[in-house]
């Protein structure tokens, strides 16, 4: 349904109240990470392993952009992952520089995923295959490893962006170092998460429905954290001609093997209402939280290490992420229609999804639209048999950097 | 530590790039030559101009020359015979290895990469159009591929007097950066 978060237990990461919510809205099963198939050496454009099995084929076929696109959409087997341009043209003259693809289209190196920040966050990626233990009515403990990027961003600063639009470097020459810069930031986190949650139905409110409330405390023990930012500034000779670029790279590394230490704790709260034909929920992640990592910070200027200091990085105490979602079931003369929507905002890149499902007996047809780092569109079909549910979906998203639509196939199985 | 850092820098440069991506770099080097130096006169006293003046030419280091697929050098000049006798103008581009001290003596590996000539009657004008293709199998290409080479150009007059104006000077290189990735 275009990536809509439906009310129900599958949404408990975003809203802890859903842990005890009835599962009548989100019947979908386990999302099979079919995207992993593309990392097999059978697919030379996206398999990094081909570097070891066939270096010559790697040099001719491997595509970093396609691999990145597939790695960030593991739930789908991408049919046409974003493809790097066949030709990149750099035109250099005394008046400026331009970067275009082979067809003369301007390429502005701007790209962002997640929130790239220069300090750690307590919002960690969802744990992978967590172990869950019930500790009594509504109370649970879950434990699982997690890893993933927290954000990636590459962009020209406003001065450079304007200079590239004008096709003239004049505004970059006004001072030294140049006010124009290309900036990049990325961070990566891995660790083990332990979450203790409590969720319970409250007494029914007449005329509204049953209300559910939940809280969760999630702590993590850090295994590794890396954060890097880089800046490149053009340099000019005495005649004002471009003579090269100055690079400054700053990175922070913290990992268990190096004797470094990282941990964090955060609190999430949520409330949800089940009104029979409709459901609605509001979740707040990281209402209160704290994390810190000790490690080493290194600054490299033009290839020479200029500073290396042991340091401790700390997060802020609150960076709430809000999730609001809802669904409405409309009975028709034949079959039933389900409308659902969700939105996410706060200390994250904003996202919005809307979806429709038409169910007739054991068969369901779905479609949806979403905005999440570009426009998404989805189409799907589900089969609900007694013992097993099977859901197949066509997913779409905007190709990073080069634009265009990428199609993928996703599969979910439930028992 | 140095090698992983180098590899990381290479990885950054290759982001959004692939084994099928070719980087074409076009440098308009004439735009870097001051307007006043783009034209001049050749006569009986100055029958020859070398660019640069030094017979050893200009040393050009090419980092990552292994990535070079092919290249092209294009120089264009408008010439006008302002004398009273017919004139012949030759434009030649010479290249040599890094250690050569004189590009114009046919020793130590220097070679004539390209030459164009033009004969002009008094009062006539014409265009010297020199295109040098750097492609595999061509000795000039091998010099560039070596990672560092010397280049120089010479304009020769046999006649009385001509005026010249450089109108185009471009180098275009096609590189495949994936060729820089070392074997595992």
């Amino acid at each position: 349904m275009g990536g809509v978060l439906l009310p129900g237990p599958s949404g408990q990461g975003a809203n802890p109240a859903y842990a005890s919510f009835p599962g009548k809205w989100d019947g979908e099963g386990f999302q099979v990470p079919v995207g992993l198939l593309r990392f097999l050496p059978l697919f030379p454009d996206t398999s990094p392993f081909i570097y070891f099995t066939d270096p010559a084929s790697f040099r001719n076929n491997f595509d970093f952009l396609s691999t990145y696109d597939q790695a960030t959409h593991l739930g789908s087997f991408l049919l046409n992952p974003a493809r790097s341009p066949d030709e990149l043209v750099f035109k250099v003259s005394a008046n400026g520089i331009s970067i275009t693809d082979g067809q003369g289209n301007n390429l502005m190196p701007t790209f962002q995923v997640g929130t790239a920040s220069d300090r750690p966050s307590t919002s960690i990626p969802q744990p992978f295959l967590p172990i869950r233990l019930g500790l009594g009515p509504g109370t649970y403990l879950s434990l699982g490893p997690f890893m993933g990027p927290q954000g990636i961003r590459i962009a020209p600063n406003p001065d450079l962006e304007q200079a590239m639009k004008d096709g003239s470097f004049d505004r970059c020459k006004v001072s030294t170092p140049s006010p124009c810069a290309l900036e990049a930031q990325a961070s990566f986190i891995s660790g083990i998460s332990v979450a203790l949650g409590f969720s319970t139905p409250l007494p029914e409110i007449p005329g509204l429905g049953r209300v559910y409330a939940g809280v969760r405390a999630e702590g993590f023990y850090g295994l590794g954290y890396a954060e890097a930012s880089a800046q490149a500034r053009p340099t000019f000779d005495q005649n004002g001609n471009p003579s090269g670029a100055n690079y400054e790279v700053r990175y922070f590394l913290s990992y268990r093997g190096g004797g470094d230490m990282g941990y964090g704790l955060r609190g999430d709260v949520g409330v949800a209402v089940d009104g029979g034909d409709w459901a609605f929920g509001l979740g707040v992640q990281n209402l209160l939280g704290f994390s810190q990592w000790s490690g080493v910070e290194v600054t490299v200027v033009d290839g020479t290490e200029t500073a290396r200091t042991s340091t401790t990085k700390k997060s802020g105490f609150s960076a709430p992420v809000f999730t609001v979602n809802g669904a409405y079931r409309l009975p028709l003369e034949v079959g039933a229609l389900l409308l659902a929507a969700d939105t996410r905002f706060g200390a994250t890149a904003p996202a919005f999804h809307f979806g429709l499902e038409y169910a007739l007996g054991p068969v369901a047809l779905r479609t949806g639209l979403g905005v999440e780092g570009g426009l998404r569109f989805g189409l799907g079909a589900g089969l609900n048999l007694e013992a097993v549910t099977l859901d197949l979906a066509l997913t779409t998203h905007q190709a990073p950097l080069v634009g265009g639509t990428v199609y993928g196939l996703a599969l979910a199985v439930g028992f | 530590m140095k090698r992983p850092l180098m590899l990381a820098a290479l990885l950054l440069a290759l982001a959004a790039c692939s084994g099928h991506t070719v980087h074409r770099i076009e440098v308009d080097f004439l735009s870097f030559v001051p307007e006043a130096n783009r034209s001049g006169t050749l006569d009986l006293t100055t029958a020859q101009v070398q660019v640069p003046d030094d017979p050893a030419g200009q040393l050009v280091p090419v980092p990552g020359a292994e990535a070079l697929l092919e290249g092209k050098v294009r120089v264009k000049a408008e010439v006008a015979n302002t004398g009273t006798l017919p004139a012949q103008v030759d434009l030649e581009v010479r290249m040599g290895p890094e250690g050569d001290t004189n590009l114009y003596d046919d020793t130590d590996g220097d070679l004539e990469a390209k030459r164009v000539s033009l004969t002009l009657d008094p009062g006539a004008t014409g265009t010297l159009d020199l295109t040098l293709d750097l492609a595999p199998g061509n000795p000039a290409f091998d010099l560039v591929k070596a990672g560092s080479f010397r280049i120089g150009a010479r304009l020769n007059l046999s006649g009385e007097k001509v005026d010249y104006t450089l109108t185009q000077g471009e180098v275009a290189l096609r590189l495949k950066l994936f060729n820089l990735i070392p074997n595992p």
Side-chain angles (χ1 to χ4, degrees):
Chain A
M1 289 176 75
V4 180
L5 183 76
L6 289 164
S10 66
Q12 59 181 288
N15 182 346
Y18 284 140
S20 59
F21 206 77
K24 62 180 183 178
W25 302 95
D26 59 341
E28 280 188 39
F30 171 69
Q31 192 79 37
V32 184
V34 282
L36 288 174
L37 280 177
R38 261 204 168 271
F39 297 130
L40 295 176
L42 213 61
F43 300 95
D45 57 336
T46 47
S47 170
F49 303 108
I50 201 166
Y51 175 60
F52 299 101
T53 58
D54 187 353
S57 169
F58 178 86
R59 273 193 276 267
N60 286 321
N61 300 306
F62 186 73
D63 192 319
F64 275 103
L65 191 62
S66 303
T67 307
Y68 172 81
D69 198 18
Q70 182 61 79
T72 48
H73 298 90
L74 285 181
S76 293
F77 177 87
L78 300 186
L79 300 173
N80 61 331
R83 191 178 144 93
S84 299
D86 284 328
E87 193 164 43
L88 282 178
V89 184
F90 297 78
K91 281 195 174 140
V92 183
S93 76
N95 306 319
I97 188 165
S98 76
I99 307 174
T100 55
D101 63 11
Q103 277 78 49
N105 302 315
N106 252 310
L107 291 177
M108 189 68 81
T110 301
F111 179 55
Q112 174 157 10
V113 183
T115 41
S117 137
D118 56 356
R119 59 184 193 177
S121 158
T122 49
S123 294
I124 55 171
Q126 284 272 358
F128 183 65
L129 297 178
I131 301 164
R132 195 181 155 99
L133 304 166
L135 301 176
T139 313
Y140 61 92
L141 183 79
S142 95
L143 181 84
F146 64 88
M147 66 188 296
Q150 283 195 305
I152 298 171
R153 188 177 75 92
I154 301 172
N157 73 358
D159 278 306
L160 181 60
E161 191 174 341
Q162 194 55 48
M164 290 177 81
K165 272 188 193 141
D166 298 347
S168 159
F169 260 159
D170 290 345
R171 63 169 55 239
C172 302
K173 298 177 189 171
V174 294
S175 62
T176 308
S178 170
C180 298
L182 184 66
E183 299 171 331
Q185 262 177 352
S187 60
F188 184 88
I189 189 168
S190 115
I192 294 167
S193 133
V194 183
L196 180 66
F198 174 70
S199 168
T200 185
L202 300 174
E204 188 157 338
I205 300 175
L208 183 66
R210 188 167 285 279
V211 180
Y212 295 77
V215 290
R216 179 177 52 217
E218 183 163 359
F220 73 83
Y221 176 73
L223 296 176
Y225 178 70
E227 178 193 299
S229 66
Q231 271 194 344
R233 292 177 188 277
T235 55
F236 302 93
D237 63 16
Q238 65 272 34
N239 299 324
N241 296 326
S243 58
N246 277 334
Y247 298 92
E248 183 172 335
V249 180
R250 189 193 55 75
Y251 63 91
F252 173 79
L253 271 184
S254 171
Y255 64 102
R256 285 303 305 157
D260 301 324
M261 173 84 187
Y263 63 87
L265 186 68
R266 66 158 217 269
D268 306 338
V269 297
V271 60
V273 189
D274 180 13
D277 285 344
W278 57 272
F280 168 84
L282 165 69
V284 187
Q285 284 170 284
N286 198 18
L287 186 63
L288 267 181
F290 177 71
S291 75
Q292 80 165 37
W293 291 86
S294 66
V296 61
E297 186 163 57
V298 180
T299 306
V300 179
V301 178
D302 290 332
T304 314
E305 190 176 307
T306 56
R308 173 178 285 264
T309 43
S310 292
T311 181
T312 299
K313 294 217 150 203
K314 295 174 182 171
S315 72
F317 280 98
S318 179
V321 175
F322 299 88
T323 306
V324 180
N325 67 335
Y328 177 62
R329 187 166 273 136
L330 184 70
L332 302 175
E333 274 185 31
V334 184
L337 196 65
L338 175 71
L339 294 101
D342 76 62
T343 177
R344 238 168 121 77
F345 55 93
T348 183
F352 169 80
H353 304 97
F354 173 77
L356 281 175
E357 177 188 275
Y358 177 71
L360 185 66
V363 179
L365 297 173
R366 308 186 180 97
T367 182
L369 264 182
V371 181
E372 187 178 348
L375 198 65
R376 289 180 170 216
F377 166 76
L379 259 183
L383 194 61
N384 192 347
L385 303 172
E386 287 291 305
V388 63
T389 65
L390 210 63
D391 291 285
L392 193 67
L394 177 77
T395 64
T396 64
H397 66 266
Q398 197 88 16
L401 207 63
V402 289
T405 305
V406 176
Y407 297 90
L409 286 177
L411 177 71
V413 185
F415 297 100
Chain B
M1 194 63 194
K2 204 88 184 163
R3 196 175 149 86
L5 266 182
M6 287 273 290
L7 278 177
L10 187 62
L11 277 180
L12 266 180
L14 293 173
C17 157
S18 71
H20 57 81
T21 303
V22 171
H23 288 68
R24 193 165 87 217
I25 298 170
E26 296 177 359
V27 183
D28 176 8
F29 64 78
L30 189 64
S31 68
F32 295 97
V33 177
E35 195 83 44
N37 297 4
R38 292 182 201 172
S39 52
T41 304
L42 287 176
D43 53 29
L44 292 173
T45 45
T46 320
Q48 198 178 70
V49 178
Q50 277 176 16
V51 187
D53 283 345
D54 184 356
Q58 174 69 44
L59 179 67
V60 184
V62 189
E66 310 91 272
L68 183 68
L69 293 180
E70 58 184 11
K72 189 175 260 194
V73 181
R74 188 139 197 228
V75 182
K76 243 182 176 176
E78 301 288 337
V79 279
N81 187 346
T82 47
T84 52
L85 298 170
Q88 187 188 328
V89 191
D90 298 315
L91 173 64
E92 60 177 321
V93 171
R94 297 191 64 93
M95 290 168 71
E98 190 182 353
D100 195 14
T101 50
N102 187 347
L103 288 180
Y104 304 94
D105 62 359
D106 285 317
T107 55
D108 296 326
D110 60 73
L111 53 92
E112 182 186 283
K114 186 89 185 196
R115 171 195 283 264
V116 287
S117 303
L118 192 64
T119 307
L120 291 172
D121 288 326
T125 57
T127 305
L128 278 168
D129 190 347
L130 184 147
T131 305
L132 167 61
D133 287 310
L134 298 170
N138 166 329
F141 178 80
D142 296 338
L143 281 172
V144 179
K145 269 282 218 194
S148 185
F149 67 97
R150 292 185 170 275
I151 188 165
R154 185 162 64 176
L155 201 57
N156 262 317
L157 167 71
S158 351
E160 190 196 344
K161 192 177 170 194
V162 292
D163 288 345
Y164 66 90
T165 306
L166 292 169
T167 53
Q168 191 180 11
E170 264 180 19
V171 178
L173 297 176
R174 284 166 55 83
L175 306 164
K176 195 177 143 192
L177 297 187
F178 259 52
N179 287 350
L180 298 177
I181 298 173
N183 274 330

